[in-house]
Coordinates of all heavy atoms in Angstrom, one line a residue:
N323 N -12.1 23.2 15.7 CA -10.6 23.3 15.8 C -10.0 22.9 17.1 O -9.1 22.2 17.3 CB -10.2 24.7 15.4 CG -10.2 24.9 13.9 OD1 -10.0 24.0 13.1 ND2 -10.6 26.2 13.4
F325 N -11.5 20.9 19.2 CA -11.8 19.5 19.3 C -10.6 18.7 18.7 O -9.9 17.8 19.3 CB -13.0 19.1 18.7 CG -13.2 17.6 18.5 CD1 -13.4 16.7 19.6 CD2 -13.2 17.0 17.2 CE1 -13.6 15.4 19.4 CE2 -13.3 15.7 17.0 CZ -13.6 14.8 18.2
I326 N -10.2 19.1 17.5 CA -9.2 18.4 16.7 C -7.8 18.5 17.4 O -7.1 17.6 17.5 CB -9.0 18.9 15.2 CG1 -10.4 18.7 14.5 CG2 -7.8 18.4 14.5 CD1 -10.6 17.4 14.0
N327 N -7.6 19.7 17.9 CA -6.2 20.0 18.5 C -6.2 19.4 19.9 O -5.1 19.4 20.6 CB -5.9 21.5 18.6 CG -5.6 21.9 17.1 OD1 -4.5 21.5 16.5 ND2 -6.4 22.7 16.5
S328 N -7.3 19.0 20.6 CA -7.2 18.3 21.8 C -7.0 16.8 21.7 O -6.9 16.2 22.7 CB -8.6 18.6 22.6 OG -8.9 20.0 22.7
L329 N -7.0 16.3 20.5 CA -6.8 14.9 20.4 C -5.4 14.6 20.7 O -4.5 15.3 20.3 CB -7.3 14.4 19.0 CG -8.7 14.6 18.7 CD1 -9.0 14.4 17.2 CD2 -9.5 13.4 19.3
K330 N -5.2 13.5 21.3 CA -3.8 13.1 21.8 C -3.2 11.9 20.9 O -2.0 11.8 20.6 CB -3.8 12.7 23.3 CG -4.0 13.9 24.1 CD -4.0 13.4 25.5 CE -4.2 14.7 26.5 NZ -4.7 14.2 27.8
L331 N -4.1 11.0 20.6 CA -3.7 9.7 20.0 C -3.9 9.9 18.4 O -3.0 9.5 17.6 CB -4.5 8.6 20.5 CG -4.3 7.1 19.9 CD1 -3.0 6.7 20.5 CD2 -5.4 6.3 20.3
I332 N -5.0 10.6 18.0 CA -5.4 10.6 16.6 C -4.7 12.0 16.2 O -4.7 13.0 16.7 CB -6.9 10.9 16.6 CG1 -7.6 9.7 17.2 CG2 -7.4 11.1 15.2 CD1 -9.1 9.9 17.7
T333 N -4.0 11.7 15.0 CA -3.1 12.8 14.4 C -3.9 13.7 13.4 O -4.6 13.1 12.6 CB -1.9 12.2 13.7 OG1 -1.4 11.3 14.6 CG2 -0.9 13.2 13.3
Q334 N -3.7 15.0 13.4 CA -4.4 15.8 12.5 C -3.3 15.9 11.3 O -2.3 16.5 11.3 CB -4.5 17.3 13.1 CG -5.1 18.2 12.1 CD -5.3 19.6 12.6 OE1 -6.0 20.4 12.0 NE2 -4.5 20.0 13.7
A335 N -3.9 15.2 10.3 CA -3.1 15.2 9.0 C -4.0 14.7 7.8 O -5.0 14.0 8.1 CB -1.8 14.2 9.1
V336 N -3.6 15.1 6.5 CA -4.4 14.6 5.4 C -3.9 13.1 5.2 O -3.3 12.6 6.0 CB -4.1 15.5 4.2 CG1 -4.8 16.8 4.4 CG2 -2.7 15.5 3.9
S337 N -4.3 12.7 4.0 CA -4.1 11.3 3.8 C -5.1 10.4 4.6 O -5.8 10.9 5.4 CB -2.6 10.7 3.9 OG -2.5 9.6 3.2
L338 N -5.0 9.1 4.3 CA -6.0 8.2 4.9 C -5.5 6.7 4.7 O -4.5 6.5 3.8 CB -7.3 8.5 4.3 CG -7.6 8.4 2.9 CD1 -7.9 7.0 2.3 CD2 -8.6 9.4 2.5
G339 N -6.0 5.7 5.4 CA -5.7 4.4 5.1 C -4.4 4.0 5.7 O -3.8 3.1 5.3
H340 N -3.9 4.8 6.7 CA -2.6 4.5 7.2 C -2.8 3.6 8.6 O -4.0 3.5 8.9 CB -1.9 5.8 7.7 CG -1.5 6.7 6.6 ND1 -0.6 7.7 6.9 CD2 -1.7 6.7 5.3 CE1 -0.4 8.4 5.7 NE2 -1.0 7.8 4.7
D341 N -1.7 3.1 9.1 CA -1.8 2.3 10.3 C -2.3 3.2 11.4 O -3.1 2.8 12.3 CB -0.5 1.6 10.7 CG 0.7 2.6 10.5 OD1 0.6 3.8 10.5 OD2 1.8 2.0 10.4
E342 N -1.9 4.6 11.5 CA -2.4 5.3 12.5 C -3.6 6.1 12.2 O -3.9 6.4 11.0 CB -1.3 6.3 13.0 CG -1.0 7.5 12.2 CD 0.0 7.4 11.2 OE1 0.1 6.5 10.4 OE2 0.9 8.3 11.1
S343 N -4.5 6.4 13.2 CA -5.6 7.3 12.8 C -5.4 8.6 12.4 O -4.5 9.3 13.0 CB -6.6 7.3 14.1 OG -7.1 6.0 14.3
L344 N -6.0 9.2 11.4 CA -5.8 10.5 10.8 C -7.0 11.2 10.8 O -8.0 10.7 10.4 CB -5.0 10.5 9.4 CG -3.7 9.7 9.4 CD1 -3.3 9.7 8.0 CD2 -2.6 10.5 10.2
I345 N -7.0 12.5 11.1 CA -8.2 13.3 11.1 C -7.9 14.8 10.5 O -6.9 15.2 10.6 CB -8.8 13.4 12.6 CG1 -10.3 13.7 12.6 CG2 -8.0 14.5 13.4 CD1 -10.9 13.3 13.9
V346 N -8.9 15.2 9.8 CA -8.8 16.5 9.2 C -10.2 17.2 9.2 O -11.2 16.6 8.9 CB -8.1 16.5 7.8 CG1 -8.9 15.5 6.9 CG2 -8.0 17.8 7.1
Y347 N -10.1 18.5 9.6 CA -11.4 19.3 9.6 C -11.4 20.2 8.5 O -10.4 20.9 8.2 CB -11.5 20.0 11.0 CG -12.6 21.1 11.0 CD1 -13.9 20.7 10.9 CD2 -12.4 22.4 11.1 CE1 -15.0 21.5 10.9 CE2 -13.4 23.3 11.1 CZ -14.7 22.9 11.0 OH -15.8 23.8 11.0
I367 N -15.7 16.8 9.4 CA -14.4 16.2 9.8 C -14.4 14.9 9.0 O -15.3 14.1 8.9 CB -14.5 15.8 11.3 CG1 -14.4 17.1 12.1 CG2 -13.3 14.8 11.7 CD1 -14.7 17.0 13.6
R368 N -13.1 14.6 8.3 CA -13.0 13.3 7.7 C -12.0 12.5 8.6 O -10.9 13.1 9.1 CB -12.3 13.5 6.4 CG -12.2 12.2 5.6 CD -11.5 12.3 4.3 NE -10.1 12.3 4.6 CZ -9.2 12.9 3.6 NH1 -9.6 13.1 2.4 NH2 -7.9 13.0 3.9
F369 N -12.4 11.4 9.0 CA -11.6 10.6 10.0 C -11.2 9.2 9.4 O -12.1 8.5 9.0 CB -12.7 10.4 11.3 CG -12.1 9.8 12.4 CD1 -10.7 9.6 12.6 CD2 -12.9 9.5 13.5 CE1 -10.2 9.2 13.8 CE2 -12.5 9.0 14.8 CZ -11.0 8.8 14.9
S370 N -10.0 9.0 9.3 CA -9.5 7.8 8.8 C -9.0 6.9 10.1 O -8.1 7.3 10.8 CB -8.2 8.0 7.9 OG -7.6 6.7 7.7
I371 N -9.8 5.9 10.3 CA -9.6 5.1 11.5 C -8.4 4.2 11.3 O -8.4 3.3 10.3 CB -10.9 4.2 11.7 CG1 -12.2 5.0 11.8 CG2 -10.8 3.3 13.0 CD1 -12.3 6.0 13.0
G372 N -7.5 4.3 12.2 CA -6.2 3.5 12.1 C -6.4 2.0 12.7 O -7.6 1.5 13.0
L373 N -5.2 1.5 13.1 CA -5.3 0.0 13.6 C -5.1 0.1 15.1 O -4.9 -1.0 15.7 CB -4.1 -0.7 13.0 CG -4.3 -0.8 11.4 CD1 -2.9 -1.4 10.9 CD2 -5.5 -1.7 11.0
E374 N -5.2 1.3 15.8 CA -5.2 1.2 17.2 C -6.5 0.5 17.7 O -7.5 0.3 17.0 CB -5.2 2.7 17.8 CG -4.0 3.6 17.2 CD -4.5 4.3 15.9 OE1 -5.4 4.0 15.3 OE2 -3.8 5.3 15.6
D378 N -9.2 2.7 22.7 CA -8.3 3.8 22.8 C -8.7 5.0 21.9 O -8.6 6.2 22.2 CB -6.8 3.4 22.5 CG -6.2 2.6 23.5 OD1 -6.6 2.6 24.6 OD2 -5.3 1.8 23.2
I379 N -9.2 4.7 20.7 CA -9.7 5.7 19.8 C -10.9 6.5 20.4 O -10.9 7.8 20.5 CB -10.1 5.1 18.4 CG1 -8.8 4.6 17.7 CG2 -10.8 6.1 17.4 CD1 -9.0 3.9 16.5
D382 N -9.9 8.7 23.3 CA -9.3 10.0 22.8 C -10.5 10.9 22.3 O -10.5 12.1 22.8 CB -8.4 9.6 21.7 CG -7.4 10.8 21.6 OD1 -7.2 11.6 22.5 OD2 -6.9 11.0 20.4
L383 N -11.4 10.4 21.6 CA -12.5 11.3 21.2 C -13.3 11.8 22.4 O -13.6 13.0 22.4 CB -13.5 10.5 20.4 CG -13.0 10.0 19.0 CD1 -14.1 9.0 18.4 CD2 -12.7 11.2 18.1
Q385 N -12.2 12.3 25.6 CA -11.5 13.3 26.3 C -11.4 14.7 25.6 O -11.4 15.8 26.2 CB -10.1 12.8 26.9 CG -9.0 12.5 25.8 CD -8.3 13.8 25.2 OE1 -8.3 14.8 26.0 NE2 -7.8 13.8 24.0
A386 N -11.3 14.6 24.2 CA -11.2 15.9 23.5 C -12.7 16.6 23.5 O -12.7 17.8 23.6 CB -10.9 15.6 22.0

Side-chain angles (χ1 to χ4, degrees):
N323 282 328
F325 167 71
I326 298 287
N327 287 296
S328 302
L329 293 164
K330 292 177 177 163
L331 184 73
I332 302 160
T333 310
Q334 181 183 194
V336 292
S337 201
L338 51 96
H340 292 191
D341 45 17
E342 82 264 52
S343 291
L344 300 174
I345 202 160
V346 52
Y347 172 61
I367 291 167
R368 188 186 70 196
F369 188 8
S370 169
I371 307 291
L373 299 172
E374 304 92 343
D378 283 338
I379 292 171
D382 197 27
L383 295 170
Q385 67 78 26

